[in-house]
Amino acid sequence: MTYNKRLDGRKFDETRPMEAKAGIIKRADGSAYFRMGKTVAYAAVYGPRDLFPRFLQNPRSGILRVNYNMMPFSGSGERIRPGGNRRSKEISLVTEKSLSSVVDLSDFPNAVVDVFIELPQTDAGTRCAGICAASIALADAGIPMKDLVAAVSVGQVDGTVLADLNYDEEAYDAPVADVPVAVIPSTEEISLLQMDGEITRDQLKEALELAKKVCKNINKIQREALKKKYEE
Amino acid sequence: MHEEQKHYVESILAKGARIDGRKPLDFRKISIEYDVSANAEGSARVKVGDTEVLVGVKIALDKPYPDTPDEGGLMVNAELLPMSSPEFESGPPNIDSIELARIVDRGIRESKAIDTKKLCIKSGEKIWSVSIDVMSINNDGNLLDAAALGALAALKDAKFPEFDGEKVDYKHKSNKTLPLQKEPISITVYKIGKTFIVDPSTDEEKVYDSRLTIASIADGTICALQKGGDVPLTAEDIDAMVGIALDKAKEIRKLFK
Amino acid sequence: MSEILVKEKQVVVPGEELAKGMDYLPSYGTYRGNDTIRAAKLGLVSIDGKVIKIIPLSGKYMPKKNDTIIGKVIDITMNGWRIDTNSPYSAMLSMKDATMDFIPKGADLTRYFDIGDYVVTKIIQVTTQKLIDLTMKGPGLRKLGAGRILQVNTTKVPRIIGKGGSMVSMIKQATGCRIIVGQNGIVWIQGEDPAKETLAAETIKRIEKESHIQGLTDIIKNDLEKITGIKIEYKEQQAEEMHHTEHSQQGEQNDLQ
C-alpha cells in the first residue's frame, strides 16, 4: 500500500467540491446542473410526452429513455467525435436502469420521459455526475419518484479504498479499481454497479459502504438544489 | 400551419410591437462568458435572452490537404441538442443543424477571420487544425446569431496547447492565441409580413416568412450571406436588411473584449 | 411513536421523510416505506388531520374528467377533430359533441374548426389508456378568435385564477383584456392593444413564478393600479358562476363563425 496521500491532497473518503442547481434549462420540463470537481453534467427532462417510434410504447406504463453524451471539447485530450459511440450507449443504458427503479410512470401509458445528459467538461466520474443531475432534473419535472438517486465512483488505488476518483487516479500506475455506484438513499439499495480494474472482495465491501456514506451527503446537496429553486 | 398565430404576430408587429414588449429591432440582453470549459483550448458561453449556447474550440495536429499544403484546417460543427428544445430530436445532425454550422463556418472562413497560412507548421506535412463545436443549451429563438457570436468568442479565447515540435501536450496551454485577423459578426434579419425584426423569440421564429443572415467585419464589408425561409425577397428588402444587420453588428461588436 | 417531521406548506423533494409511525396516512404524492411516510413528488406539504399529501410544484397537465381546457386542433378525422391538450395525450372531439347545430354527414369539418384553431372545450371522459373525449356543447365552450396564447405550469392555474376568480378578474380590470385560463395551463388573452396584452401576459407569468409568496394578491393589485392608474376592485364570484372560463356576455357565441 503505497498510495497514502491523494494526488490532490484529499482525504480518502472526501469527494471533490460539488455544486448543484435545478431548473437551468428553461425550455425543458425539468433540468439540473451537477458538478463534481472538474466534471460537469447537465441534465434535461422532457416528458411525459408522446413516444415515437410506436413499437416502443408500453400500454401499461410510460418508459424512461436516457441519452448520455460528452461534448466534443469536454475531454482532456483530443476532440471527441460527435455522435454516440458504444461507450455512451452503454452508459445511457445503465443510467436508465439506475433511475427506472425509483420513478413511477404507471400513470403515463404509451408515453416517454426523455432524460438528456450532456457533459461540457469531464474529469472522471461522468456517469455518476450524470445520474446525480438526472435525478434532480426528474424531480424538477414533477415526475413521481420514490427518492432521488445519488452516485459516486469509489474504488481502490494501490490497495487504498477511496471515494470519487479523478482522472489522474483512474490512470495511476498501480493496481486500480474504478467502481461507479448509484445508491437509493432512503433504502441504501444499489441501482448501478460497475467496475473496471481489480479489487479484492474485502475492498469491494469497504468501497460499497463508503459509497453509501458519500451518497447520503450527495443526496443532501441534491435536495438543497431543488429547494433553493422553489424557495426563492 | 400556425395561421392564426402568424396573423396575430403580424398584426401586432404592424403596430410596432412584439409579444415580449420589445421593439422590432431590439435584441434581448446578450452576455458572453469566456473559458467555460477547462479542457477545451478555447470556449465561451453566449446567452441571447434565454437562448444559450456553449462553444468549444479544439486545436489538433493534422496533415494538410494535398491541394493546400500551406494552410491549416478549420471546421465548424453544430449540434441542436435535444436537451435544449422539445422540438429537437436525438440522432445525427439534421438539416437545421447542418445549415447552422455551415452559416457560422461561412462567416468565419470567408472573412478569413483566421489566417490559415499561420496554422502551417511544416508545408505539406504538419498543420494545426481548428475545430469549433457549437452546442445549444437552451433554445428560445435565434440560435443562428447566438451560435455565431459564441464561435467568435471561443476563437478569441483559444490558446494553442504546448507543443515541443513533435507532440502536443493538451494538459498545458501556451500563451499563444489563434491568428485572428478579422472578427466577423453575424446578424440574421427576419421578415414577418411587412416588418423586419431581429432576434426572434421562439414564437416569432415559428411564423417568419423569410430571413437573411449577414456576416460583416469591422469596416462594414459583408463577408457572408444566407437567405432562408419560404418566401422570396425583393432587392429593396435585401438592401434594407443588410442596412439593419450592419447597424446591429456595430452595436454588438462593442460587447467583445 | 408517531411524529410528523415537516411543516404545512414546506417544500419537500422525492424521498424526503414526512412522518414516522403508523398514525399518519399517506395520500396523493406520498408513500409509506417501512414505517416512514415519504414524499413521492416535488411539492408543498399539506396536512389535513392525519392525512398527508403533496401539492405538486411542477409536472405536466394530466387530463381529468370535467376539466375545462383550451385545446388546439391538430388533425381532422372522418368523425371529428383531434385536439392537442398540452399533455402527453391528444383528445378526440366528435362531430356529435362539437356544436349545438346539426352537422350533416360528409360536411367539410374545417368550416367548423380548422387545424391551428384554439377551442375552449370540456373533457367528458378519460380512459385508463388515456383516450380522451371532449365536448363543445356547454356554456362558454367555443372556438377562440385571434389572441395571444400563453403556456403556464398547470399546477399554478388555481393561483392565476384566484379564489372565486379574484386574481384573473383583477388582471381583466386593469388591462381591459378578455382572458381565459384553461385547467391545462393554456391561457388566451385578447386585448385592445398589444401593450395591454403584454401587461396581462407578464402579470400572469409573474404570478406563476411568485405563486408561493404570501399576500401576492395584494402585491399584484397594487402594482397593477400603479402601472395602469385604474382602481381595481377585489371580487370573488360564487361557485355556480365560475366555469373557469370567461362569462358569456353579449352573445360570445357569435365568435363561432
Side-chain angles (χ1 to χ4, degrees):
Chain A
M1 258 190 27
T2 54
Y3 191 66
N4 292 327
K5 191 151 183 277
R6 294 180 80 166
L7 295 168
D8 57 5
R10 275 186 286 153
K11 296 203 276 288
F12 300 124
D13 58 355
E14 196 183 334
T15 59
R16 292 170 285 178
M18 293 189 278
E19 202 190 330
K21 276 190 244 173
I24 40 112
I25 297 176
K26 298 227 168 73
R27 290 220 58 202
D29 296 318
S31 58
Y33 163 100
F34 196 89
R35 183 174 67 81
M36 264 165 164
K38 285 172 75 202
T39 296
V40 174
Y42 282 115
V45 168
Y46 286 92
R49 62 178 178 177
D50 228 346
L51 172 54
F52 295 105
R54 273 194 199 285
F55 67 81
L56 288 176
Q57 290 182 0
N58 179 351
R60 283 192 226 283
S61 169
I63 65 165
L64 193 66
R65 189 163 58 176
V66 174
N67 195 292
Y68 161 105
N69 182 52
M70 299 199 313
M71 295 187 185
F73 44 83
S74 61
S76 60
E78 292 185 355
R79 176 176 180 262
I80 303 166
R81 291 195 74 196
N85 53 24
R86 281 150 41 111
R87 173 182 173 274
S88 61
K89 287 200 171 69
E90 193 206 7
I91 294 179
S92 301
L93 173 71
V94 297
T95 299
E96 185 238 296
K97 297 270 171 265
S98 77
L99 298 166
S100 57
S101 58
V102 300
V103 297
D104 175 11
L105 304 181
S106 54
D107 250 350
F108 315 126
N110 297 319
V112 63
V113 174
D114 273 317
V115 182
F116 298 106
I117 299 172
E118 295 279 345
L119 293 119
Q121 185 179 287
T122 65
D123 182 13
T126 58
R127 75 198 68 191
C128 295
I131 290 170
C132 293
S135 294
I136 300 173
L138 284 165
D140 187 35
I143 303 294
M145 45 205 290
K146 288 190 336 210
D147 205 346
L148 303 172
V149 178
V152 70
S153 269
V154 288
Q156 65 93 4
V157 173
D158 209 10
T160 310
V161 171
L162 312 162
D164 194 16
L165 281 72
N166 64 17
Y167 185 84
D168 290 332
E169 283 176 325
E170 269 181 9
Y172 198 74
D173 190 18
V176 165
D178 173 34
V179 188
V181 182
V183 178
I184 302 171
S186 53
T187 58
E188 295 200 324
E189 287 168 310
I190 290 162
S191 59
L192 176 142
L193 179 64
Q194 293 179 289
M195 192 201 73
D196 279 336
E198 41 186 286
I199 197 166
T200 68
R201 184 175 172 181
D202 283 338
Q203 286 167 347
L204 178 61
K205 269 175 108 159
E206 204 186 324
L208 289 180
E209 288 311 304
L210 183 55
K212 287 184 197 170
K213 191 175 110 175
V214 167
C215 283
K216 271 215 149 56
N217 245 16
I218 293 178
N219 187 232
K220 283 204 192 96
I221 296 173
Q222 291 172 304
R223 289 185 176 186
E224 275 308 308
L226 282 163
K227 291 183 195 229
K228 197 146 181 259
K229 178 184 170 190
Y230 290 94
E231 278 168 353
E232 281 313 32
Chain B
M1 244 248 272
H2 297 260
E3 281 308 318
E4 277 282 358
Q5 268 297 86
K6 177 154 196 258
H7 191 66
Y8 175 75
V9 172
E10 271 182 50
S11 65
I12 64 170
L13 273 176
K15 298 179 188 159
R18 295 168 76 167
I19 295 179
D20 58 7
R22 278 186 287 158
K23 295 205 282 294
L25 298 182
D26 283 345
F27 256 82
R28 290 167 290 181
K29 175 159 182 276
I30 299 176
S31 77
I32 304 172
E33 238 183 290
Y34 299 90
D35 193 18
V36 295
S37 177
N39 292 327
E41 277 68 73
S43 59
R45 181 199 314 277
V46 167
K47 289 193 198 163
V48 180
D50 282 335
T51 294
E52 181 178 340
V53 300
L54 208 59
V55 184
V57 168
K58 293 292 288 179
I59 306 175
L61 278 183
D62 207 349
K63 277 194 170 45
Y65 283 118
D67 52 344
T68 51
D70 294 322
E71 288 181 28
L74 174 67
M75 185 202 59
V76 179
N77 172 52
E79 306 260 339
L80 298 181
L81 294 175
M83 82 170 180
S84 57
S85 163
E87 277 127 36
F88 295 159
E89 286 172 2
S90 275
N94 65 5
I95 191 59
D96 291 321
S97 51
I98 293 172
E99 191 196 16
L100 187 112
R102 288 183 63 89
I103 292 178
V104 174
D105 179 300
R106 197 164 281 134
I108 296 172
R109 196 185 297 275
E110 296 313 320
S111 64
K112 309 225 183 336
I114 300 181
D115 183 357
T116 47
K117 290 211 159 46
K118 293 214 174 96
L119 294 177
C120 178
I121 303 169
K122 190 152 183 229
S123 177
E125 284 183 34
K126 252 190 225 165
I127 48 127
W128 289 111
S129 187
V130 177
S131 300
I132 303 169
D133 285 287
V134 179
M135 308 279 124
S136 63
I137 305 292
N138 188 61
N139 180 22
D140 192 15
N142 201 18
L143 276 175
L144 273 173
D145 291 351
L149 288 172
L152 178 59
L155 285 173
K156 284 167 79 84
D157 181 63
K159 299 209 171 53
F160 284 93
E162 287 287 1
F163 177 55
D164 63 3
E166 282 301 317
K167 272 190 77 184
V168 176
D169 178 9
Y170 281 109
K171 287 197 189 255
H172 297 100
K173 276 194 186 135
S174 70
N175 279 329
K176 211 164 149 241
T177 53
L178 284 173
L180 260 186
Q181 50 189 15
K182 303 267 174 63
E183 297 188 357
I185 303 267
S186 199
I187 303 285
T188 309
V189 183
Y190 290 73
K191 187 164 187 235
I192 301 180
K194 295 194 170 50
T195 316
F196 296 121
I197 63 164
V198 292
D199 192 23
S201 61
T202 304
D203 291 325
E204 289 168 329
E205 233 178 26
K206 291 202 171 100
V207 300
Y208 75 89
D209 291 319
S210 41
R211 58 161 155 86
L212 186 63
T213 305
I214 300 119
S216 59
I217 50 179
D219 67 0
T221 307
I222 302 163
C223 53
L225 288 173
Q226 179 101 344
K227 175 196 173 298
D230 297 328
V231 178
L233 292 168
T234 65
E236 289 76 25
D237 284 339
I238 291 169
D239 187 54
M241 291 160 108
V242 166
I244 293 169
L246 291 177
D247 277 342
K248 287 290 155 191
K250 222 157 98 187
E251 274 174 44
I252 289 176
R253 200 172 286 284
K254 298 189 195 133
L255 294 169
F256 283 89
K257 55 174 188 190
Chain C
M1 192 208 60
S2 290
E3 58 165 326
I4 200 130
L5 302 164
V6 290
K7 293 196 297 280
E8 176 82 10
K9 289 235 184 342
Q10 187 174 324
V11 175
V12 292
V13 310
E16 193 163 347
E17 309 82 358
L18 306 176
K20 272 194 156 62
M22 301 305 285
D23 281 355
Y24 290 95
L25 296 166
S27 181
Y28 180 81
T30 70
Y31 71 99
R32 196 195 298 279
N34 295 331
D35 72 338
T36 308
I37 296 181
R38 293 177 189 268
K41 257 191 176 217
L42 171 67
L44 303 175
V45 175
S46 169
I47 307 168
D48 186 7
K50 294 287 183 196
V51 178
I52 308 178
K53 72 172 191 217
I54 301 288
I55 299 173
L57 283 169
S58 62
K60 281 251 166 101
Y61 172 67
M62 291 306 286
K64 278 190 328 287
K65 183 171 161 172
N66 291 329
D67 272 357
T68 300
I69 64 171
I70 295 180
K72 185 166 88 162
V73 179
I74 50 177
D75 199 7
I76 299 180
T77 71
M78 290 285 283
N79 308 308
W81 303 261
R82 185 145 288 283
I83 311 280
D84 178 334
T85 59
N86 192 35
S87 81
Y89 306 99
S90 60
M92 265 313 287
L93 173 68
S94 334
M95 276 162 60
K96 63 175 171 54
D97 294 312
T99 154
M100 303 304 271
D101 303 332
F102 168 72
I103 301 180
K105 234 193 183 140
D108 177 6
L109 295 181
T110 64
R111 299 196 59 224
Y112 297 86
F113 309 117
D114 202 353
I115 294 182
D117 282 345
Y118 284 95
V119 294
V120 185
T121 175
K122 190 164 172 186
I123 297 178
I124 40 180
Q125 222 213 155
V126 182
T127 69
T128 46
Q129 285 294 286
K130 306 291 187 204
L131 296 174
I132 305 162
D133 283 320
L134 302 171
T135 183
M136 299 266 300
K137 291 169 156 175
L141 305 180
R142 65 195 203 282
K143 181 164 87 170
L144 289 170
R148 185 175 306 200
I149 296 287
L150 201 60
Q151 198 171 315
V152 297
N153 197 301
T154 180
T155 58
K156 304 294 159 81
V157 165
R159 202 76 176 87
I160 291 167
I161 294 176
K163 195 151 157 243
S166 50
M167 185 71 96
V168 68
S169 151
M170 287 189 334
I171 307 175
K172 287 184 202 173
Q173 289 176 57
T175 62
C177 291
R178 295 158 77 189
I179 303 174
I180 302 186
V181 184
Q183 288 296 305
N184 60 341
I186 301 290
V187 180
W188 175 86
I189 301 170
Q190 189 191 68
E192 280 168 5
D193 68 73
K196 295 215 166 71
E197 287 172 353
T198 301
L199 176 59
E202 280 174 359
T203 309
I204 290 173
K205 277 284 173 195
R206 183 182 165 194
I207 298 168
E208 182 193 29
K209 197 161 167 240
E210 300 177 8
S211 60
H212 52 281
I213 293 184
Q214 297 277 52
L216 183 64
T217 316
D218 286 325
I219 298 175
I220 299 279
K221 179 164 174 291
N222 291 333
D223 285 349
L224 282 174
E225 283 177 342
K226 239 191 298 185
I227 297 172
T228 64
I230 299 176
K231 188 87 183 69
I232 296 173
E233 196 197 315
Y234 176 88
K235 51 182 174 175
E236 290 178 28
Q237 267 147 340
Q238 297 309 316
E240 311 88 65
E241 291 177 308
M242 276 290 308
H243 307 299
H244 292 178
T245 69
E246 195 180 42
H247 314 300
S248 286
Q249 282 158 4
Q250 333 86 337
E252 271 143 16
Q253 297 296 330
N254 296 338
D255 279 348
L256 239 165
Q257 78 197 66

